[in-house]
Amino acid sequence: MADISSYKVAGFNFTIEGELPAMPNLEPFRSTEGMPIFKLQIVSSMAPVPSTPVFKTDDGPGFPEITIDQLYSGGFRFRMRPQPGLPLAAELRTSEDFTQASLLLIEGDKPFAINNSLMLLFAFSTARHGALEMHSSVVINDGKGYMFLGKSGTGKSTHSSLWLKHIPGTTLLNDDNPILRLMPDGSARVFDSPWSGKTPCYKNMEVPAGAVVRIRQAPFNKIEKLPAVQAYASLMASASSFRPFKELADGWHQTLSGLVAVLPCYVLDCLPDQAAAELCHKTVHG
Amino acid sequence: MKIKDGFILRSICGEYIVVGEGLAQVNFNKMLSMNESAAYLWKEITGKEFTREDLVQLLLDQYEVSKEQAAADVDKLVDTWLTEGVVEQ
Protein backbone atom coordinates (compact mmCIF):
# COMPACT_ATOMS: atom_id res chain seq x y z
CA MET A 1 0.00 0.00 0.00
CA ALA A 2 1.55 3.28 -1.11
CA ASP A 3 1.59 6.34 1.10
CA ILE A 4 -1.24 8.75 0.34
CA SER A 5 -1.12 12.27 1.69
CA SER A 6 -4.23 14.46 1.56
CA TYR A 7 -4.36 18.23 1.57
CA LYS A 8 -6.86 21.05 1.33
CA VAL A 9 -5.96 24.42 -0.21
CA ALA A 10 -8.48 27.25 -0.62
CA GLY A 11 -11.27 24.77 0.01
CA PHE A 12 -10.09 22.26 -2.63
CA ASN A 13 -8.76 18.83 -1.69
CA PHE A 14 -6.00 16.98 -3.47
CA THR A 15 -3.92 13.89 -2.77
CA ILE A 16 -0.33 12.85 -3.41
CA GLU A 17 0.50 9.17 -3.66
CA GLY A 18 4.08 8.02 -3.18
CA GLU A 19 7.05 8.89 -1.03
CA LEU A 20 7.54 12.62 -0.45
CA PRO A 21 10.66 14.49 0.59
CA ALA A 22 10.25 16.79 3.61
CA MET A 23 7.91 19.57 2.49
CA PRO A 24 7.16 21.80 5.47
CA ASN A 25 5.15 24.18 3.28
CA LEU A 26 2.48 21.50 2.74
CA GLU A 27 2.15 20.46 6.40
CA PRO A 28 -0.33 23.16 7.56
CA PHE A 29 -2.64 22.15 4.67
CA ARG A 30 -3.05 18.47 5.56
CA SER A 31 -6.70 17.46 5.59
CA THR A 32 -8.53 14.23 4.89
CA GLU A 33 -12.08 15.55 4.58
CA GLY A 34 -13.65 16.09 1.16
CA MET A 35 -13.29 14.67 -2.34
CA PRO A 36 -9.99 15.36 -4.08
CA ILE A 37 -10.17 17.65 -7.11
CA PHE A 38 -6.97 16.04 -8.43
CA LYS A 39 -4.68 13.13 -7.59
CA LEU A 40 -0.93 13.24 -8.13
CA GLN A 41 1.05 10.02 -8.16
CA ILE A 42 4.83 10.03 -7.85
CA VAL A 43 6.25 7.29 -10.08
CA SER A 44 9.70 5.77 -10.50
CA SER A 45 9.63 5.34 -14.28
CA MET A 46 7.69 6.43 -17.37
CA ALA A 47 7.36 4.73 -20.72
CA PRO A 48 8.04 6.97 -23.73
CA VAL A 49 4.86 8.29 -25.35
CA PRO A 50 4.17 9.97 -28.68
CA SER A 51 3.27 13.63 -28.30
CA THR A 52 3.11 16.90 -30.16
CA PRO A 53 4.61 20.19 -28.84
CA VAL A 54 2.17 22.78 -27.53
CA PHE A 55 4.09 25.54 -25.83
CA LYS A 56 7.22 26.49 -23.90
CA THR A 57 7.19 29.09 -21.14
CA ASP A 58 9.63 31.94 -21.59
CA ASP A 59 9.97 33.93 -18.40
CA GLY A 60 13.72 34.48 -18.85
CA PRO A 61 16.85 33.48 -16.93
CA GLY A 62 16.25 32.70 -13.28
CA PHE A 63 12.71 31.47 -13.88
CA PRO A 64 11.58 27.86 -14.36
CA GLU A 65 11.15 26.73 -17.94
CA ILE A 66 8.24 24.42 -18.70
CA THR A 67 7.79 22.62 -22.03
CA ILE A 68 4.26 21.46 -22.71
CA ASP A 69 3.25 18.68 -25.11
CA GLN A 70 -0.08 17.15 -25.93
CA LEU A 71 -0.12 13.35 -25.74
CA TYR A 72 -1.58 11.42 -28.67
CA SER A 73 -3.46 9.36 -26.11
CA GLY A 74 -5.10 12.53 -24.70
CA GLY A 75 -3.76 14.59 -21.82
CA PHE A 76 -0.57 16.57 -21.52
CA ARG A 77 2.99 16.38 -20.37
CA PHE A 78 4.97 19.14 -18.72
CA ARG A 79 8.76 18.93 -18.62
CA MET A 80 10.31 21.25 -16.06
CA ARG A 81 13.70 22.82 -15.69
CA PRO A 82 14.57 25.12 -12.76
CA GLN A 83 15.99 27.54 -15.37
CA PRO A 84 16.55 27.50 -19.12
CA GLY A 85 19.69 25.50 -19.94
CA LEU A 86 19.64 23.37 -16.79
CA PRO A 87 18.91 19.60 -16.94
CA LEU A 88 15.32 18.36 -16.73
CA ALA A 89 14.14 18.21 -13.13
CA ALA A 90 10.89 16.35 -13.68
CA GLU A 91 8.19 15.23 -16.07
CA LEU A 92 4.53 15.56 -15.20
CA ARG A 93 1.83 13.78 -17.21
CA THR A 94 -1.81 14.67 -16.77
CA SER A 95 -5.18 13.47 -17.93
CA GLU A 96 -7.01 15.76 -20.32
CA ASP A 97 -9.10 17.28 -17.50
CA PHE A 98 -6.09 17.57 -15.14
CA THR A 99 -7.73 15.46 -12.41
CA GLN A 100 -5.17 12.63 -12.61
CA ALA A 101 -1.42 13.07 -12.95
CA SER A 102 1.83 11.23 -12.54
CA LEU A 103 5.19 12.79 -11.78
CA LEU A 104 8.64 11.43 -12.47
CA LEU A 105 11.37 13.14 -10.44
CA ILE A 106 14.49 13.09 -12.60
CA GLU A 107 17.20 15.25 -11.09
CA GLY A 108 17.83 17.89 -8.47
CA ASP A 109 15.41 19.71 -6.23
CA LYS A 110 12.45 17.39 -5.56
CA PRO A 111 10.31 19.91 -3.62
CA PHE A 112 10.73 22.36 -6.55
CA ALA A 113 9.29 19.82 -9.00
CA ILE A 114 6.51 18.72 -6.66
CA ASN A 115 5.47 22.28 -5.80
CA ASN A 116 5.46 23.30 -9.46
CA SER A 117 3.39 20.27 -10.39
CA LEU A 118 0.92 20.98 -7.61
CA MET A 119 0.61 24.62 -8.69
CA LEU A 120 -0.06 23.64 -12.30
CA LEU A 121 -2.60 20.99 -11.36
CA PHE A 122 -4.28 23.27 -8.87
CA ALA A 123 -4.61 26.15 -11.36
CA PHE A 124 -5.97 23.89 -14.12
CA SER A 125 -8.28 21.67 -12.10
CA THR A 126 -9.87 24.65 -10.30
CA ALA A 127 -10.24 26.79 -13.47
CA ARG A 128 -13.91 25.91 -13.78
CA HIS A 129 -14.55 26.35 -10.06
CA GLY A 130 -13.92 30.06 -9.60
CA ALA A 131 -10.36 29.89 -8.29
CA LEU A 132 -7.29 31.83 -9.48
CA GLU A 133 -3.70 31.39 -8.40
CA MET A 134 -2.48 34.96 -8.19
CA HIS A 135 1.03 36.29 -8.32
CA SER A 136 0.57 38.63 -5.40
CA SER A 137 1.63 39.64 -1.92
CA VAL A 138 -1.33 39.81 0.49
CA VAL A 139 -1.75 41.44 3.87
CA ILE A 140 -4.67 41.20 6.29
CA ASN A 141 -5.98 44.33 7.95
CA ASP A 142 -9.22 44.68 9.88
CA GLY A 143 -10.25 41.16 8.82
CA LYS A 144 -9.87 41.74 5.08
CA GLY A 145 -7.22 40.71 2.58
CA TYR A 146 -5.48 43.39 0.51
CA MET A 147 -3.68 42.00 -2.51
CA PHE A 148 -0.72 43.76 -4.10
CA LEU A 149 0.05 42.92 -7.73
CA GLY A 150 2.95 43.88 -9.95
CA LYS A 151 5.67 42.51 -12.16
CA SER A 152 8.57 40.81 -10.39
CA GLY A 153 10.73 43.44 -8.76
CA THR A 154 8.17 46.29 -8.67
CA GLY A 155 7.83 46.14 -4.91
CA LYS A 156 4.79 44.04 -3.96
CA SER A 157 6.58 42.53 -0.97
CA THR A 158 8.11 45.90 -0.13
CA HIS A 159 4.65 47.46 -0.06
CA SER A 160 3.40 44.63 2.17
CA SER A 161 6.31 45.22 4.55
CA LEU A 162 5.44 48.95 4.66
CA TRP A 163 1.90 48.05 5.74
CA LEU A 164 3.29 45.64 8.36
CA LYS A 165 5.52 48.40 9.73
CA HIS A 166 3.27 51.44 9.55
CA ILE A 167 -0.37 50.32 9.48
CA PRO A 168 -1.33 48.98 12.92
CA GLY A 169 -3.03 45.59 13.03
CA THR A 170 -1.57 44.34 9.72
CA THR A 171 -0.37 40.76 9.24
CA LEU A 172 1.00 38.92 6.18
CA LEU A 173 -1.24 36.28 4.61
CA ASN A 174 0.93 35.13 1.68
CA ASP A 175 3.84 36.79 -0.06
CA ASP A 176 3.80 35.18 -3.50
CA ASN A 177 0.96 32.89 -4.62
CA PRO A 178 -2.33 33.28 -2.77
CA ILE A 179 -5.55 31.85 -4.16
CA LEU A 180 -8.32 34.31 -5.05
CA ARG A 181 -11.80 32.80 -5.30
CA LEU A 182 -15.15 33.96 -6.56
CA MET A 183 -17.32 32.13 -4.04
CA PRO A 184 -20.63 30.46 -4.91
CA ASP A 185 -22.43 33.34 -3.13
CA GLY A 186 -20.71 35.86 -5.45
CA SER A 187 -18.26 37.24 -2.89
CA ALA A 188 -14.46 37.43 -3.31
CA ARG A 189 -12.24 35.60 -0.85
CA VAL A 190 -8.48 35.24 -0.61
CA PHE A 191 -6.73 32.17 0.79
CA ASP A 192 -3.22 31.32 1.87
CA SER A 193 -1.52 28.61 -0.17
CA PRO A 194 1.53 26.39 0.38
CA TRP A 195 3.35 28.52 -2.19
CA SER A 196 4.70 31.75 -0.77
CA GLY A 197 8.05 32.46 -2.41
CA LYS A 198 10.92 33.74 -0.35
CA THR A 199 8.84 34.76 2.66
CA PRO A 200 7.11 31.62 3.89
CA CYS A 201 4.23 32.18 6.25
CA TYR A 202 1.83 29.24 5.64
CA LYS A 203 -0.98 30.23 7.93
CA ASN A 204 -3.66 28.27 6.07
CA MET A 205 -6.02 31.21 6.66
CA GLU A 206 -8.75 32.78 4.53
CA VAL A 207 -10.38 36.20 4.62
CA PRO A 208 -12.81 38.21 2.50
CA ALA A 209 -10.86 40.05 -0.21
CA GLY A 210 -10.96 43.83 0.48
CA ALA A 211 -9.22 45.19 -2.61
CA VAL A 212 -6.59 44.49 -5.23
CA VAL A 213 -3.87 47.07 -5.81
CA ARG A 214 -1.44 47.03 -8.72
CA ILE A 215 1.87 48.55 -7.63
CA ARG A 216 3.95 50.65 -10.02
CA GLN A 217 7.16 52.43 -9.15
CA ALA A 218 6.98 56.21 -9.46
CA PRO A 219 8.70 59.32 -8.09
CA PHE A 220 5.43 60.24 -6.28
CA ASN A 221 2.45 58.58 -4.58
CA LYS A 222 -0.90 58.46 -6.36
CA ILE A 223 -3.75 55.94 -6.27
CA GLU A 224 -6.59 55.48 -8.75
CA LYS A 225 -9.56 53.13 -8.92
CA LEU A 226 -9.72 51.09 -12.12
CA PRO A 227 -12.85 50.77 -14.27
CA ALA A 228 -14.08 47.21 -14.90
CA VAL A 229 -12.18 46.46 -18.11
CA GLN A 230 -8.85 47.71 -16.75
CA ALA A 231 -9.50 45.87 -13.49
CA TYR A 232 -10.06 42.69 -15.50
CA ALA A 233 -6.82 43.24 -17.42
CA SER A 234 -4.93 43.90 -14.20
CA LEU A 235 -6.19 40.71 -12.53
CA MET A 236 -5.62 38.65 -15.67
CA ALA A 237 -2.02 39.81 -15.99
CA SER A 238 -1.26 38.50 -12.50
CA ALA A 239 -3.25 35.26 -12.60
CA SER A 240 -1.28 32.08 -13.31
CA SER A 241 -3.33 31.14 -16.31
CA PHE A 242 -1.72 29.28 -19.15
CA ARG A 243 -3.09 31.04 -22.18
CA PRO A 244 -2.57 28.11 -24.59
CA PHE A 245 -5.32 26.15 -22.87
CA LYS A 246 -8.42 27.34 -24.67
CA GLU A 247 -10.56 24.82 -22.80
CA LEU A 248 -9.86 26.58 -19.54
CA ALA A 249 -10.29 30.15 -20.79
CA ASP A 250 -14.08 30.18 -20.30
CA GLY A 251 -13.73 29.26 -16.63
CA TRP A 252 -11.07 31.88 -16.01
CA HIS A 253 -13.14 34.52 -17.81
CA GLN A 254 -16.21 33.73 -15.66
CA THR A 255 -14.10 34.07 -12.53
CA LEU A 256 -12.38 37.30 -13.58
CA SER A 257 -15.55 39.01 -14.73
CA GLY A 258 -17.37 37.97 -11.56
CA LEU A 259 -14.52 39.25 -9.41
CA VAL A 260 -14.27 42.70 -11.02
CA ALA A 261 -17.97 43.23 -10.35
CA VAL A 262 -17.50 42.84 -6.58
CA LEU A 263 -13.85 43.53 -5.83
CA PRO A 264 -12.45 47.10 -6.00
CA CYS A 265 -9.23 47.25 -8.04
CA TYR A 266 -6.74 50.10 -7.94
CA VAL A 267 -3.43 51.12 -9.41
CA LEU A 268 -0.94 52.70 -7.01
CA ASP A 269 1.98 54.68 -8.40
CA CYS A 270 4.30 54.91 -5.46
CA LEU A 271 7.59 55.39 -3.71
CA PRO A 272 8.71 52.69 -1.26
CA ASP A 273 7.78 54.84 1.75
CA GLN A 274 5.41 55.16 4.70
CA ALA A 275 3.26 57.75 2.93
CA ALA A 276 2.54 55.27 0.12
CA ALA A 277 1.28 52.64 2.58
CA GLU A 278 -0.83 55.25 4.41
CA LEU A 279 -2.35 56.61 1.18
CA CYS A 280 -3.10 53.08 0.00
CA HIS A 281 -4.62 52.00 3.33
CA LYS A 282 -6.76 55.13 3.64
CA THR A 283 -8.09 54.71 0.08
CA VAL A 284 -8.81 50.98 -0.03
CA HIS A 285 -10.14 50.78 3.51
CA GLY A 286 -12.82 53.29 2.58
CA MET B 1 -12.23 38.60 -44.48
CA LYS B 2 -12.58 36.55 -41.34
CA ILE B 3 -11.76 36.70 -37.65
CA LYS B 4 -8.42 35.06 -36.90
CA ASP B 5 -8.41 31.86 -34.91
CA GLY B 6 -8.23 32.43 -31.16
CA PHE B 7 -9.88 35.84 -30.85
CA ILE B 8 -12.88 35.77 -28.56
CA LEU B 9 -15.41 38.44 -27.64
CA ARG B 10 -15.85 38.68 -23.88
CA SER B 11 -18.29 40.73 -21.85
CA ILE B 12 -17.22 42.35 -18.57
CA CYS B 13 -19.75 44.24 -16.48
CA GLY B 14 -21.70 45.24 -19.60
CA GLU B 15 -18.62 46.24 -21.62
CA TYR B 16 -17.05 44.27 -24.44
CA ILE B 17 -13.46 43.31 -25.20
CA VAL B 18 -11.74 41.01 -27.65
CA VAL B 19 -8.93 38.91 -26.22
CA GLY B 20 -6.56 36.37 -27.76
CA GLU B 21 -6.98 32.90 -26.33
CA GLY B 22 -5.47 29.56 -27.09
CA LEU B 23 -2.21 28.55 -28.69
CA ALA B 24 -2.84 30.52 -31.88
CA GLN B 25 -2.79 33.85 -30.03
CA VAL B 26 -0.47 33.08 -27.17
CA ASN B 27 1.68 36.14 -27.94
CA PHE B 28 -1.24 38.59 -28.24
CA ASN B 29 -0.95 40.44 -24.93
CA LYS B 30 -3.57 43.09 -25.58
CA MET B 31 -7.28 43.58 -25.20
CA LEU B 32 -9.33 45.36 -27.78
CA SER B 33 -12.19 47.41 -26.43
CA MET B 34 -15.46 47.16 -28.37
CA ASN B 35 -18.47 49.42 -28.25
CA GLU B 36 -21.95 47.93 -28.48
CA SER B 37 -22.28 48.12 -32.27
CA ALA B 38 -18.79 46.69 -32.83
CA ALA B 39 -19.64 43.82 -30.47
CA TYR B 40 -22.90 43.25 -32.38
CA LEU B 41 -21.00 43.04 -35.67
CA TRP B 42 -18.38 40.74 -34.16
CA LYS B 43 -21.05 38.32 -32.94
CA GLU B 44 -22.73 38.29 -36.35
CA ILE B 45 -19.53 37.53 -38.27
CA THR B 46 -18.01 35.01 -35.86
CA GLY B 47 -17.12 31.84 -37.77
CA LYS B 48 -18.01 33.37 -41.18
CA GLU B 49 -16.32 34.98 -44.15
CA PHE B 50 -17.44 38.60 -44.46
CA THR B 51 -16.94 41.74 -46.55
CA ARG B 52 -17.17 45.42 -45.64
CA GLU B 53 -20.53 45.49 -47.45
CA ASP B 54 -21.84 42.71 -45.18
CA LEU B 55 -20.97 44.79 -42.14
CA VAL B 56 -22.66 47.92 -43.57
CA GLN B 57 -25.83 45.87 -44.18
CA LEU B 58 -25.70 44.47 -40.63
CA LEU B 59 -25.51 48.01 -39.24
CA LEU B 60 -28.41 49.15 -41.42
CA ASP B 61 -30.49 46.17 -40.23
CA GLN B 62 -29.92 47.00 -36.60
CA TYR B 63 -29.51 50.78 -36.28
CA GLU B 64 -31.22 53.95 -37.53
CA VAL B 65 -28.26 55.21 -39.51
CA SER B 66 -27.59 56.47 -43.04
CA LYS B 67 -25.75 54.22 -45.48
CA GLU B 68 -22.92 56.78 -45.76
CA GLN B 69 -22.49 56.94 -41.99
CA ALA B 70 -22.58 53.14 -41.69
CA ALA B 71 -19.98 52.75 -44.45
CA ALA B 72 -17.69 55.31 -42.80
CA ASP B 73 -18.02 53.57 -39.41
CA VAL B 74 -17.34 50.16 -40.96
CA ASP B 75 -14.22 51.45 -42.75
CA LYS B 76 -12.84 52.85 -39.52
CA LEU B 77 -13.64 49.69 -37.58
CA VAL B 78 -12.25 47.24 -40.14
CA ASP B 79 -9.07 49.31 -40.48
CA THR B 80 -8.59 49.06 -36.70
CA TRP B 81 -9.24 45.31 -36.73
CA LEU B 82 -6.73 44.82 -39.54
CA THR B 83 -4.12 47.03 -37.88
CA GLU B 84 -4.51 45.19 -34.58
CA GLY B 85 -4.38 41.88 -36.45
CA VAL B 86 -7.59 40.33 -35.15
CA VAL B 87 -9.04 39.78 -38.64
CA GLU B 88 -7.36 38.64 -41.85
CA GLN B 89 -8.08 39.14 -45.55
Side-chain angles (χ1 to χ4, degrees):
Chain A
M1 184 72 193
D3 302 330
I4 298 184
S5 312
S6 306
Y7 306 92
K8 186 183 233 167
V9 173
F12 298 99
N13 292 74
F14 59 85
T15 62
I16 308 176
E17 186 181 325
E19 202 185 322
L20 286 175
M23 297 187 64
N25 63 313
L26 288 177
E27 288 308 316
F29 296 89
R30 277 191 188 270
S31 166
T32 49
E33 51 186 75
M35 283 287 290
I37 195 161
F38 69 82
K39 294 178 181 179
L40 175 65
Q41 190 180 12
I42 296 175
V43 297
S44 53
S45 67
M46 270 179 178
V49 282
S51 65
T52 178
V54 173
F55 183 62
K56 186 157 100 174
T57 62
D58 182 16
D59 296 325
F63 288 91
E65 180 187 84
I66 302 174
T67 312
I68 307 169
D69 305 293
Q70 185 153 26
L71 306 178
Y72 286 6
S73 56
F76 299 93
R77 76 165 170 184
F78 301 79
R79 285 176 294 171
M80 303 168 208
R81 296 170 200 276
Q83 286 194 47
L86 289 185
L88 271 185
E91 176 165 339
L92 175 74
R93 289 188 193 164
T94 76
S95 60
E96 203 146 10
D97 62 0
F98 307 103
T99 59
Q100 305 278 343
S102 51
L103 176 66
L104 177 67
L105 298 164
I106 299 168
E107 181 172 315
D109 189 346
K110 289 181 181 178
F112 158 81
I114 295 168
N115 280 319
N116 267 280
S117 301
L118 292 174
M119 289 174 77
L120 283 171
L121 290 167
F122 191 90
F124 293 157
S125 62
T126 62
R128 292 186 185 85
H129 303 286
L132 293 171
E133 250 172 44
M134 300 297 294
H135 189 43
S136 170
S137 180
V138 192
V139 295
I140 304 177
N141 184 274
D142 210 9
K144 287 190 175 168
Y146 295 98
M147 308 180 66
F148 306 126
L149 314 181
K151 293 192 184 115
S152 292
T154 42
K156 300 183 288 291
S157 297
T158 304
H159 195 74
S160 280
S161 65
L162 289 167
W163 275 57
L164 292 169
K165 195 166 168 196
H166 300 296
I167 313 292
T170 303
T171 55
L172 187 66
L173 176 69
N174 186 290
D175 204 35
D176 200 43
N177 276 105
I179 313 297
L180 176 59
R181 281 187 65 185
L182 179 64
M183 303 303 287
D185 68 1
S187 65
R189 225 169 155 77
V190 59
F191 297 73
D192 189 18
S193 82
W195 311 294
S196 186
K198 291 178 203 113
T199 319
C201 33
Y202 312 125
K203 290 185 164 66
N204 194 5
M205 273 180 71
E206 54 173 283
V207 283
V212 176
V213 183
R214 177 162 292 277
I215 307 285
R216 292 193 305 211
Q217 292 176 356
F220 51 83
N221 293 320
K222 185 180 130 211
I223 189 163
E224 254 185 299
K225 194 162 178 202
L226 293 172
V229 172
Q230 276 98 313
Y232 179 99
S234 174
L235 286 179
M236 188 160 98
S238 293
S240 316
S241 63
F242 271 63
R243 294 158 55 86
F245 292 97
K246 234 182 200 168
E247 301 78 9
L248 302 178
D250 283 343
W252 279 317
H253 166 70
Q254 294 297 330
T255 307
L256 287 168
S257 56
L259 284 170
V260 298
V262 295
L263 183 60
C265 296
Y266 298 85
V267 59
L268 173 68
D269 290 302
C270 65
L271 292 157
D273 66 5
Q274 179 175 353
E278 283 168 352
L279 171 70
C280 185
H281 171 251
K282 191 181 80 188
T283 310
V284 300
H285 201 262
Chain B
M1 278 174 284
K2 66 181 173 63
I3 295 169
K4 280 194 204 167
D5 188 30
F7 288 108
I8 314 281
L9 181 71
R10 297 289 196 187
S11 150
I12 302 157
C13 298
E15 294 184 59
Y16 291 98
I17 53 162
V18 163
V19 290
E21 290 175 0
L23 189 59
Q25 300 308 339
V26 73
N27 292 320
F28 187 84
N29 288 315
K30 288 189 281 189
M31 293 182 179
L32 211 55
S33 205
M34 296 269 180
N35 64 20
E36 201 194 309
S37 54
Y40 154 73
L41 291 174
W42 186 277
K43 286 182 208 165
E44 291 292 325
I45 58 166
T46 298
K48 297 176 196 160
E49 282 279 342
F50 66 92
T51 62
R52 288 180 194 241
E53 292 68 39
D54 296 335
L55 298 183
V56 172
Q57 193 54 51
L58 284 165
L59 283 184
L60 293 175
D61 293 345
Q62 186 74 9
Y63 299 98
E64 295 277 333
V65 60
S66 72
K67 197 168 180 182
E68 291 68 35
Q69 186 60 53
D73 289 351
V74 162
D75 277 338
K76 219 168 121 188
L77 187 63
V78 170
D79 290 344
T80 307
W81 287 354
L82 287 168
T83 311
E84 296 297 339
V86 297
V87 302
E88 60 195 355
Q89 299 281 4

